[in-house]
Amino acid sequence: MTWHVAEEDLRAYAQGELAAPMLWSADTHLTACAECRARLAAVGDPVALDAGWERLDAELDAPRPGLLEGLLLRLGVAGHTARLLTATPVLRRSWLLAVAFVLGLTVLAVYLVDEPALFLALAPLLPLAGVALSYGPGLDPTYEIAVVAPMHGFRLLMVRTVAVLTAGLVLNGLATLALPEYGLLALTWLLPALALTATGLALMPRLGPVLAPVLVGGAWLTLLALAKRHTHGTLVPFTTAGQSAAAALAVLAALLLFQARDRFDARPTGGFADGGAA
Amino acid sequence: MTTGPLNDPASGPTTVSATGLTLRYGGTRALDAVSLELTRGVTGLLGPNGAGKTSLLRVLATAVPPDSGAFTVLGHDPSTTKGRLAARRTLGYLPQTPGFHPDFTAFAFVDYVAILKELTDRAARHREVRRVLEAVDLEDVRGKRIKRLSGGMRQRVALAAALVGDPEFLVLDEPTVGLDPEQRMRFRELVAEAGEGRTVLLSTHQTEDVAMLCHRVVVLTHGRVRFDGTPAELTARAAGRVWVSAQRDPGALAGWRTGTGTFRNIGEPPTGADLLEPTLEDGYLLALDGESTEVTA
């Protein structure tokens, strides 16, 4: 053992005052290190020590955080929020790899045909799809349990949306870095991405978790197809006017979404996995 | 039966009360003006497939709002935002097909459900998760991934998740399906234990579950309540209406050849018939009244 819990941390630990994440490191270390346990016994008063042992005991059972959960904890995300995020289906490594793969292919295609619109059309759809897939009966196996849990459905949705959106935007951003020759134009997916995601979510309580994002995605592709027909230069959504419209839509949809927040709780957004009543 | 004399469930106060619950989906009425009152102890909900058992449990568990009708859970009205939240805080729900994150361990899964139930303090939550895993006898496999557990163990993990946070109202949707007799017996013990001091609504199509566990039974067909009373009352309905004959009796509502070669019939017996002691199953079949042909649970 090369590392030991510092004297003052041990004292704080014994008094129950050591804060996370140091607390967890100390918990984990103490289970394995007899030397530190002996030192802990020396610094602590017996009552606080008992509480410490009890916590240690509970710690022995605690699931060891996975890669993603560990990362979130290190970023300062609260433990319970990190666990909620870990259960988000689309944050699994396989999903993220699939998204990265699609983005890679698209960037390659942009290089081959010198057509940035390919990337700009796809990039806003990925966060929309990710968010749509992270809350609903289709992919969340514990959906029915989550629906009746006291935690507000909207809160769970937002926690996951923020996480999925962040992951999606980071991946998109990395792809953008691979397209430096297009300058700022390569970043014009960002506002449409926010607009599509917010609109898809705002329509979800009314149209369900499948129809809402499909309609929004379809509308986006239709808009691009129409723009392609009528313009030869930069497509409308990626011009200043288009970007302003996207920003306005994102804000409007976010407001509508907030207003409809209780509807995510009152009624499941789209049946159950077995096709039962909703 | 399983409830002690100290809290005689039949006379206890009403904890869950529903009137006129109706739920439609597609063109069918899954629930048709269902009214019932639950008290503490285990109430069994019997009915053939498609009778509306799951729909009723989903409504009472606040997973789906009814199209019409009203209900309260421990005095809370789930049709309001506040009441729904209050009702959900008293609720433990084991859905018919409880989903799992297969990569979670038993501990992590129950821990996750505990978080959804607003137990955010890490140490207190972990204590509670350990308590319920011990209660369902899974403390030895708590670190195992759920995909490595047997069907019976998974069902117990789901029960532990329903029990976490010590809910006062437990809704269990066919929890004994797919369990072998020994697992079923063990599971019944757990449900009986859970029913002490709690309101438990257990849907099943095993009349044995009801006979062994429930102080009360509700029979549902076509979304309607056909019977509501004690298991003894349901059995008594078949008194004088079960008889044995050497040949299939065409007048019987249902009849089958038993292992001894004679026929066991239920329905209106012919005069002079050789009557048998009825079972709960006989009473149940009579309550269904030949409405459904698929009554052999």
Side-chain angles (χ1 to χ4, degrees):
Chain A
M1 197 100 13
T2 52
W3 176 83
H4 291 291
V5 184
E7 186 81 25
E8 64 189 282
D9 285 341
L10 267 183
R11 206 163 289 128
Y13 184 89
Q15 281 157 11
E17 285 166 0
L18 191 61
M22 191 57 212
L23 172 65
W24 305 327
S25 309
D27 272 337
T28 314
H29 178 79
L30 283 163
T31 57
C33 177
E35 192 185 323
C36 281
R37 282 201 295 273
R39 287 168 58 225
L40 176 66
V43 298
D45 72 273
V47 179
L49 197 58
D50 278 348
W53 284 125
E54 197 181 316
R55 217 172 40 239
L56 196 55
D57 207 22
E59 186 64 29
L60 286 172
D61 290 332
R64 213 172 309 144
L67 204 67
L68 173 70
E69 202 172 337
L71 182 72
L72 290 167
L73 291 174
R74 226 156 289 154
L75 288 173
V77 176
H80 55 275
T81 309
R83 170 61 46 77
L84 289 178
L85 289 175
T86 317
T88 308
V90 287
L91 286 182
R92 273 186 222 134
R93 210 176 313 164
S94 51
W95 283 88
L96 294 177
L97 284 176
V99 170
F101 180 70
V102 169
L103 277 172
L105 277 187
T106 314
V107 168
L108 198 66
V110 171
Y111 272 121
L112 290 177
V113 297
D114 188 26
E115 179 53 277
L118 283 177
F119 170 67
L120 295 175
L122 173 81
L125 290 174
L126 294 175
L128 171 71
V131 168
L133 291 172
S134 55
Y135 189 81
L139 283 170
D140 185 352
T142 50
Y143 179 69
E144 203 170 342
I145 291 176
V147 163
V148 303
M151 171 176 279
H152 203 293
F154 186 70
R155 182 166 170 236
L156 186 59
L157 176 74
M158 282 301 105
V159 164
R160 290 186 174 171
T161 297
V162 168
V164 173
L165 207 52
T166 308
L169 297 185
V170 166
L171 287 174
N172 277 353
L174 290 176
T176 307
L177 290 180
L179 299 168
E181 64 268 42
Y182 297 103
L184 270 183
L185 178 68
L187 252 183
T188 49
W189 54 267
L190 179 60
L191 287 169
L194 294 176
L196 294 193
T197 307
T199 312
L201 282 172
L203 292 178
M204 224 187 249
R206 277 172 208 287
L207 301 178
V210 179
L211 191 58
V214 166
L215 276 184
V216 171
W220 169 247
L221 292 176
T222 311
L223 177 75
L224 288 178
L226 287 176
K228 180 88 188 150
R229 263 208 191 157
H230 298 291
T231 40
H232 292 286
T234 307
L235 298 183
V236 179
F238 310 116
T239 61
T240 313
Q243 292 285 298
S244 314
L249 181 62
V251 171
L252 183 72
L255 286 175
L256 284 177
L257 174 64
F258 185 70
Q259 241 180 5
R261 65 194 181 280
D262 277 341
R263 299 181 54 139
F264 284 92
D265 246 3
R267 180 175 277 277
T269 50
F272 295 106
D274 60 4
Chain B
M1 217 148 291
T2 52
T3 42
L6 283 177
N7 51 344
D8 177 23
S11 61
T14 301
T15 47
V16 177
S17 157
T19 42
L21 293 179
T22 300
L23 183 73
R24 292 178 202 87
Y25 61 98
T28 57
R29 268 183 203 206
L31 295 177
D32 190 358
V34 170
S35 299
L36 83 168
E37 296 202 330
L38 302 180
T39 55
R40 290 212 177 98
V42 185
T43 299
L45 183 61
L46 275 176
N49 288 330
K53 299 191 297 290
T54 293
S55 296
L56 180 58
L57 296 194
R58 278 179 178 160
V59 168
L60 293 178
T62 75
V64 181
D67 291 315
S68 61
F71 69 109
T72 58
V73 176
L74 295 139
H76 309 296
D77 174 8
S79 68
T80 65
T81 307
K82 234 186 191 164
R84 191 166 50 241
L85 180 63
R88 286 177 176 173
R89 285 187 171 138
T90 70
L91 177 79
Y93 179 39
L94 194 164
Q96 190 169 20
T97 42
F100 299 102
H101 295 284
D103 289 329
F104 274 10
T105 61
F107 189 99
F109 176 74
V110 179
D111 192 46
Y112 170 69
V113 176
I115 292 167
L116 291 176
K117 290 190 181 179
E118 300 178 313
L119 297 163
T120 46
D121 179 78
R122 184 179 152 95
R125 187 177 73 238
H126 284 181
R127 263 200 305 280
E128 174 65 7
V129 173
R130 270 159 56 115
R131 183 187 72 81
V132 291
L133 284 174
E134 264 165 45
V136 300
D137 244 349
L138 285 180
E139 64 266 45
D140 294 339
V141 296
R142 62 190 173 227
K144 267 200 177 176
R145 280 172 199 268
I146 290 177
K147 62 181 168 196
R148 305 212 183 287
L149 298 180
S150 70
M153 283 181 173
R154 280 183 203 191
Q155 203 63 351
R156 268 144 65 194
V157 172
L159 181 66
L163 286 172
V164 82
D166 199 13
E168 286 175 77
F169 178 35
L170 257 189
V171 177
L172 310 176
D173 198 350
E174 300 196 355
T176 55
V177 163
L179 301 187
D180 67 35
E182 205 185 328
Q183 291 171 331
R184 210 154 56 221
M185 195 45 79
R186 178 78 195 102
F187 205 83
R188 283 187 192 131
E189 279 175 46
L190 295 172
V191 173
E193 228 171 272
E196 287 171 22
R198 285 196 187 85
T199 305
V200 180
L201 183 57
L202 167 87
S203 101
T204 176
H205 41 223
Q206 305 259 356
T207 47
E208 281 165 71
D209 286 343
V210 174
M212 294 190 193
L213 276 173
C214 303
H215 71 90
R216 205 170 130 213
V217 53
V218 174
V219 176
L220 204 65
T221 58
H222 299 299
R224 270 178 242 150
V225 175
R226 300 237 102 207
F227 175 87
D228 185 351
T230 65
E233 284 165 353
L234 186 55
T235 308
R237 280 201 160 192
R241 298 172 76 186
V242 186
W243 71 98
V244 64
S245 62
Q247 298 296 323
R248 185 181 298 279
D249 195 325
L253 206 61
W256 59 93
R257 192 191 162 96
T258 63
T260 55
T262 56
F263 281 80
R264 184 184 166 93
N265 307 288
I266 58 173
E268 292 310 320
T271 41
D274 194 357
L275 293 177
L276 292 174
E277 192 68 28
T279 63
L280 184 68
E281 176 115 353
D282 299 327
Y284 169 53
L285 292 175
L286 281 167
L288 296 178
D289 210 22
E291 263 199 58
S292 164
T293 50
E294 288 179 57
V295 288
T296 40

